Amino acid sequence: KKPADTTTISDSLIFNDGDSAYLSKNMNTVTGAWTLSMWIKRTGIGKSYDPLGSFRADEYRFESDVLKIESGFTSSMTFKDSSRWYHLVFSDSGSDQTVYVDGVSIGTTGFSRDFGDSGTVIGRMAYNSTHFDGYMAEIHFIDGTALNADYFGNFDANGIWIPKTVTGLTYGTNGFHLDFSDGTSTTTLGEDQAGSNDWTLNN
């Protein structure tokens, strides 16, 4: 069987709860369709709250190793493997939101939520001092289109979900791509590779 298209993700960003590390941005609010894709590796297994971020209307977090969206979605699967990378995609059509893990839909929320405001953060909860423990890589946000996971990865010849070269996407006015490839400074680490929607690294 011919191997699937693949690419190597060479850079990731380390988040440490003890250092209160997170990213922040004063975003315009996105209404209607949008897509958020990210690769994550957890080191905070078993934490009561391990937040991916706060995106205006919702906290997206692991709660005792279960993935939760505060407004009403709880995954049936758990995320307890600290040795592996998970690929998460949240695809909001403007009427509901589908959650993908490693290329497979794990459920639909039945509701749509706006994304972004002046207090948008990645790697922490907006309203307390809890922060993510682990790694994040290849964060894509698409403003205006609900995409499935196939735009960001595919299955290899052994049926393992792997990243692929992401091309041809229209990111929209508020979209961004963070690949954390320029480690010159904290400023360059937060640069948007798809446009000018850069993020601020804190701690």
Side-chain angles (χ1 to χ4, degrees), residues 67-98:
L67 178 61
K68 286 198 170 188
I69 302 174
E70 189 174 34
S71 56
F73 176 82
T74 302
S75 69
S76 59
M77 70 178 292
T78 56
F79 298 77
K80 294 183 177 181
D81 190 345
S82 61
S83 68
R84 63 170 286 190
W85 286 85
Y86 297 95
H87 181 224
L88 308 179
V89 175
F90 304 92
S91 182
D92 196 307
S93 67
S95 58
D96 58 25
Q97 189 175 143
T98 303

Side-chain angles (χ1 to χ4, degrees), residues 120-135:
T120 304
V121 289
I122 294 173
R124 69 165 286 182
M125 295 179 72
Y127 305 111
N128 65 31
S129 58
T130 304
H131 297 76
F132 181 69
D133 271 309
Y135 302 76

Side-chain angles (χ1 to χ4, degrees), residues 23-24 43 49 67 85 92 124-125 139 172-173 176-177 202:
L23 289 80
S24 61
T43 59
Y49 294 99
L67 178 61
W85 286 85
D92 196 307
R124 69 165 286 182
M125 295 179 72
I139 301 177
T173 303
F176 55 84
H177 171 207
N202 302 271

